[in-house]
Amino acid sequence: MSAELKLILEEIRGLKGEVFCLRGDMEKMETSLREDMKKMETSLREDMKKMETSLRGDMEKMETSLREDMREIEVSLRQEIHDGDAAIRLILENDIRPKINILAENHLDLNRKLEEIRKELKKNELLPIRVSILEQDMREIKKQSTASV
């Protein structure tokens, strides 16, 4: 073999060793990367569980707070309704009922006056008939008196 070939062969063997070293380094890097990824995955899962637990706790606190707020609002509304009901009752008792009583009394007075007027009108209805009869009687009396004179 020629010296050049030997030199090339030696360089190829050197390269082969370097490639073998690189392959080992690559495998170490791959193993290291896989371990790092597993650690990151585990860490992420733990963080997600912590966040989930924290969120659930926050949601439970918010739910409890909302329920308490709703109860307070309900109590407040019930009190306002009760107060409003009492105010309406007071207005009915102090303002509206007396006015209704006055209206009822005046209505009775008006009915009495209407009945009196009707009675008077009945009396007055007969007056034109009586006057007419009296006038006719007067005419007859005048005829009889002129006839006897």
Side-chain angles (χ1 to χ4, degrees), residues 10-26:
E10 280 181 34
E11 281 187 33
I12 289 176
R13 283 186 189 147
L15 285 173
K16 200 176 182 185
E18 287 178 22
V19 167
F20 186 73
C21 284
L22 282 174
R23 201 179 274 166
D25 290 345
M26 293 283 287

Side-chain angles (χ1 to χ4, degrees), residues 37-68:
M37 285 179 64
K38 283 182 183 179
K39 287 177 185 175
M40 287 175 65
E41 181 182 0
T42 304
S43 175
L44 284 172
R45 286 180 194 252
E46 289 173 359
D47 290 347
M48 285 177 61
K49 285 182 182 178
K50 288 177 185 176
M51 286 175 61
E52 181 182 358
T53 303
S54 174
L55 286 173
R56 284 185 189 201
D58 291 346
M59 284 176 55
E60 287 174 1
K61 288 177 186 175
M62 287 175 63
E63 183 180 355
T64 303
S65 174
L66 283 173
R67 287 184 194 271
E68 289 173 1

Side-chain angles (χ1 to χ4, degrees), residues 106-117:
N106 288 334
H107 181 71
L108 285 174
D109 289 342
L110 287 174
N111 274 340
R112 284 187 202 121
K113 287 179 183 179
L114 180 63
E115 283 301 314
E116 289 175 13
I117 290 171

Side-chain angles (χ1 to χ4, degrees), residues 126-140:
L126 298 175
L127 280 179
I129 296 171
R130 285 184 182 165
V131 168
S132 176
I133 292 172
L134 287 173
E135 283 176 349
Q136 191 175 6
D137 286 347
M138 282 300 288
R139 277 187 220 129
E140 285 179 23

